[in-house]
Amino acid sequence: MADERLVFKEVLPKQGLLFTEQTPMPILCKPKIMPMKSVTLEKLETMQREAQEAVKRQEQEQKLQGGFT
Amino acid sequence: MAAGTGTMQMDPLFLAMSFYRRRKLEECAEVCTQLLKKNPYDQASWCLKTRALTEQVYVDEVDVDEEGIAEMLMDDNAVAQLPRPGTSLKKPGTSIGHGAPTPGVRPMSQAGRPVSGFVRPGTQSGRPGTMEQAIRTPRTAQTARPVTSASGRHVRLGTASMLSQPDGPFINIAKLNLSKYAQRQNLAKVLFEYIFHHENDVRNALELAAKATEECQFKDWWWKVQLAKSYYRLGMYRDAEKQLKSALRDQDMVDIYLYLCKVYRRLDQPLTAVDIYKKALEKFPGETTLLTGIARIHEELNDMTKAVQLYKEVLHFDNTHVEAIACIATHHFYTDQPEIALRFYRRLLQMGVYNAELFTNLGLCCFFAQQYDMTLNCFERALSLASDENMSDVWYNIGHIAVGIGDIQLAYQCFRLALASNNDHAEAYNNVGVLEMRKGHTEQARAFLQAAAGLAPHMYEPHYNHGLLSLKIGDLQSSHNSISKSLEGYPDHSDSRNVLTQLKEDFAAL
């Protein structure tokens, strides 16, 4: 069986000119899969945001009170 | 009780407990405050209020790990300064290299690690290599890094919780007689958690824990773990290790193993941590937190094949594990199998995860798996869900879709929009630069590429593109500089190597 196997021969053109030209191309950065956030991280972030807002609110209230007196 | 009012009323303490169980913590604290006003010595409501306040700011300590600049650069805990390949988390490049993704396929994070499919606190950006890099890193608005972990999130949370109380803190720790509380085990544990999590006063917490563990003749593993937690926060890792090992002798707990591994990771001994995880797995087979721990370490050591294998094992025991699904999906996406990644992300969607990140990933997978009908819908959804923080990444990825369909104008607009929502988006700068190069606007292209290279010196693309641009206009010297930098970021990049050999030939001819 083995000797009946077809043997492929490479075909090289003998006539004409063969050009291969490689020009380096600029590269784009790859698409970025966005990482999912862990529950802990999300909780930390919401807590931080809430804390910041609470502080801001308090400061504003203090400012308002300061304005009236 | 409450007979005079005519209506039936619940016992307030019972009501407060019910609130606590239903996690209506603010209401619970409110009711307890009323009770304490009537009777300041009411231990039950004091205890409950303390727990309610703690619960409001409680995060799992195993997961929280934030490294400040000071810890990272003035770290004298690491055993070896020049670790052997594959034994250190600090130099991710020194992996053994089986299945390590190349930056040519998978983008790198700032620490020179391939981007992960999942962010946890602390592993967000890894360790930067040099002082310069470390100091530059926090400037990017989204990843502010505290100077030390003592000034990080914990403190901000602690002070904020105090500010929002009009008549001062609930418990004045400075006036507490800690030894008195240490004798009363029922109160001491609650008080410790309050001081540690709510007030974030680690030193007093440590004092209380030390006294309490003495009170119970060093037999309570819980106190030993708390001591270790306090030592860890104070940066005394060897002491933390001792306490945890002692606690393990008293009681086998998954939690203690996890803490111990956390300590070893901080000491930069990932292989020891893996050993501990494996030992723990013998006692708790199939415990997903332990398996995930090993997988994370392999991921950080750049051994993606092993990491994915372990994440798959995690899914075998818990098929709703978001981290495992996300990491496997990311791995498939960057190994040229977007359609498999798509199935994993779809699974996340089925599980009820609903955010901009997921829809962006779905959109990207759909596009690269040639399911074009879904792509734009996904991105529209992502845009509508995106917050200020992740908007830039969504636009950046849409830009890629535009490049893919050949709409260069749209691509340009998308990358500019990415830059508009995040001024420090290095990848977008690079891509705008490349598009400008194509248009033939050399000067603008150079400006964008330089901006990208300045923001993210670890990426090889801007350096390489800048090198090409300089080569084109005949500035061979700066071309050589840029290409060398590109090869530093990605030593096996064949195009950079070709350009470099060409440059060398040119220089030799001169």
Side-chain angles (χ1 to χ4, degrees):
Chain A
M1 291 294 276
D3 45 9
E4 278 176 28
R5 209 172 49 193
L6 280 173
V7 182
F8 289 103
K9 277 185 178 174
E10 55 182 327
V11 180
L12 287 173
K14 299 265 168 62
Q15 286 168 335
L17 294 170
L18 183 68
F19 286 103
T20 51
E21 195 186 359
Q22 265 192 332
T23 44
M25 295 292 287
I27 327 171
L28 290 170
C29 283
K30 310 296 168 292
K32 204 157 89 184
I33 283 280
M34 289 173 73
M36 315 295 291
K37 278 181 190 163
S38 73
V39 180
T40 317
L41 190 61
E42 269 179 19
K43 190 174 174 187
L44 274 174
E45 281 180 359
T46 44
M47 266 170 21
Q48 222 170 326
R49 217 177 303 130
E50 275 166 14
Q52 268 175 354
E53 272 164 23
V55 171
K56 254 186 219 163
R57 228 181 301 130
Q58 240 177 13
E59 275 176 1
Q60 263 178 352
E61 273 169 23
Q62 275 173 358
K63 246 187 219 170
L64 275 177
Q65 280 171 357
F68 283 125
T69 49
Chain B
M1 50 146 276
T5 55
T7 49
M8 287 287 277
Q9 254 188 357
M10 222 181 196
D11 174 38
L13 184 63
F14 189 80
L15 180 68
M17 278 158 75
S18 163
F19 274 135
Y20 181 80
R21 270 201 305 275
R22 286 179 284 152
R23 296 198 60 80
K24 295 186 172 176
L25 300 170
E26 272 169 35
E27 284 98 326
C28 172
E30 188 56 37
V31 176
C32 289
T33 314
Q34 297 301 328
L35 279 172
L36 283 171
K37 258 185 200 161
K38 275 183 216 155
N39 178 13
Y41 297 105
D42 185 353
Q43 283 188 11
S45 37
W46 183 87
C47 197
L48 191 59
K49 184 175 175 186
T50 314
R51 280 179 70 183
L53 289 177
T54 311
E55 223 25 66
Q56 281 176 7
V57 290
Y58 185 84
V59 275
D60 195 352
E61 191 62 18
V62 178
D63 275 347
V64 184
D65 194 6
E66 202 165 19
E67 268 189 314
I69 295 175
E71 275 106 17
M72 251 176 320
L73 293 167
M74 293 154 206
D75 179 15
D76 47 0
N77 297 303
V79 179
Q81 288 302 318
L82 279 171
R84 276 176 294 145
T87 60
S88 169
L89 297 170
K90 273 189 201 161
K91 298 217 167 53
T94 57
S95 76
I96 313 156
H98 298 300
T102 65
V105 187
R106 189 162 174 165
M108 287 282 171
S109 70
Q110 231 141 9
R113 263 196 197 110
V115 289
S116 171
F118 195 75
V119 273
R120 315 115 188 148
T123 48
Q124 285 171 68
S125 45
R127 285 158 175 261
T130 61
M131 190 79 176
E132 190 196 348
Q133 214 177 330
I135 292 176
R136 192 183 295 146
T137 320
R139 292 228 185 111
T140 58
Q142 261 88 44
T143 56
R145 187 183 280 284
V147 175
T148 75
S149 65
S151 69
R153 254 187 200 121
H154 305 305
V155 174
R156 273 175 272 152
L157 287 175
T159 45
S161 57
M162 209 152 72
L163 250 178
S164 54
Q165 287 163 11
D167 25 285
F170 165 51
I171 301 172
N172 193 344
I173 300 165
K175 285 187 187 165
L176 280 186
N177 183 0
L178 289 179
S179 7
K180 197 183 89 188
Y181 280 93
Q183 288 163 3
R184 312 171 75 166
Q185 289 294 318
N186 51 345
L187 293 183
K189 288 184 176 173
V190 178
L191 183 64
F192 174 85
E193 293 211 308
Y194 178 82
I195 301 177
F196 190 83
H197 290 285
H198 190 270
E199 294 298 313
N200 199 39
D201 186 346
V202 183
R203 224 175 303 166
N204 276 321
L206 179 64
E207 203 184 323
L208 177 62
K211 280 177 181 158
T213 191
E214 216 180 305
E215 280 301 324
C216 52
Q217 280 91 43
F218 307 98
K219 273 180 190 145
D220 193 342
W221 62 271
W222 194 86
W223 282 115
K224 290 180 185 170
V225 175
Q226 307 314 311
L227 269 175
K229 269 160 79 172
S230 311
Y231 280 132
Y232 185 90
R233 280 268 187 101
L234 292 172
M236 299 152 78
Y237 304 120
R238 288 296 177 190
D239 295 287
E241 181 195 355
K242 239 182 267 163
Q243 292 296 335
L244 288 168
K245 280 193 170 160
S246 161
L248 270 182
R249 276 194 289 274
D250 293 340
Q251 179 88 23
D252 263 331
M253 290 279 288
V254 180
D255 227 25
I256 306 178
Y257 283 113
L258 291 175
Y259 279 125
L260 195 56
C261 291
K262 194 178 154 186
V263 172
Y264 281 124
R265 283 178 49 145
R266 180 54 74 84
L267 290 173
D268 196 24
Q269 297 184 9
L271 300 188
T272 319
V274 171
D275 281 346
I276 300 279
Y277 277 129
K278 283 188 178 153
K279 216 186 280 170
L281 272 173
E282 280 167 20
K283 287 183 182 133
F284 304 95
E287 173 61 42
T288 50
T289 44
L290 296 169
L291 284 170
T292 325
I294 308 183
R296 281 182 193 170
I297 289 181
H298 282 306
E299 198 180 331
E300 280 179 54
L301 288 173
N302 259 359
D303 194 344
M304 282 314 288
T305 332
K306 259 193 198 155
V308 166
Q309 216 175 338
L310 279 156
Y311 279 128
K312 281 190 179 153
E313 209 176 318
V314 172
L315 285 187
H316 182 253
F317 291 105
D318 173 11
N319 56 14
T320 56
H321 200 278
V322 178
E323 177 170 359
I325 297 179
C327 285
I328 295 175
T330 313
H331 176 72
H332 280 301
F333 182 82
Y334 285 118
T335 47
D336 241 355
Q337 294 167 312
E339 59 283 339
I340 298 177
L342 181 60
R343 292 176 61 154
F344 279 96
Y345 281 123
R346 217 168 50 197
R347 166 84 183 146
L348 282 183
L349 192 66
Q350 279 173 348
M351 278 163 43
V353 182
Y354 193 83
N355 52 25
E357 284 93 355
L358 180 60
F359 277 106
T360 312
N361 296 347
L362 277 171
L364 278 177
C365 290
C366 282
F367 182 76
F368 288 102
Q370 295 168 19
Q371 302 195 7
Y372 301 120
D373 48 341
M374 285 293 294
T375 309
L376 288 181
N377 290 338
C378 285
F379 277 111
E380 270 172 8
R381 195 70 62 90
L383 279 177
S384 67
L385 288 171
S387 64
D388 288 349
E389 279 155 37
N390 47 24
M391 185 65 91
S392 61
D393 278 337
V394 180
W395 277 119
Y396 170 77
N397 285 321
I398 299 178
H400 275 283
I401 307 300
V403 171
I405 57 175
D407 191 342
I408 300 301
Q409 196 53 42
L410 177 64
Y412 189 82
Q413 283 170 344
C414 290
F415 292 134
R416 289 308 290 256
L417 277 168
L419 287 176
S421 41
N422 175 11
N423 222 347
D424 298 321
H425 204 291
E427 288 98 339
Y429 273 118
N430 173 64
N431 289 4
V432 175
V434 171
L435 294 182
E436 291 284 7
M437 256 169 103
R438 274 201 205 173
K439 284 187 191 166
H441 300 163
T442 318
E443 280 312 306
Q444 274 126 319
R446 183 203 294 278
F448 282 122
L449 291 176
Q450 271 170 350
L455 281 170
H458 62 278
M459 289 196 315
Y460 77 99
E461 291 98 338
H463 294 302
Y464 170 73
N465 292 333
H466 189 257
L468 275 191
L469 191 70
S470 309
L471 184 69
K472 214 187 259 174
I473 57 172
D475 186 355
L476 298 187
Q477 186 55 50
S478 40
S479 173
H480 183 265
N481 291 345
S482 298
I483 297 287
S484 316
K485 275 186 201 156
S486 152
L487 280 171
E488 265 169 40
Y490 180 14
D492 297 331
H493 187 226
S494 70
D495 276 0
S496 293
R497 284 186 169 189
N498 291 342
V499 175
L500 196 65
T501 43
Q502 193 195 329
L503 276 171
K504 277 185 182 156
E505 278 167 21
D506 288 351
F507 284 140
L510 289 172

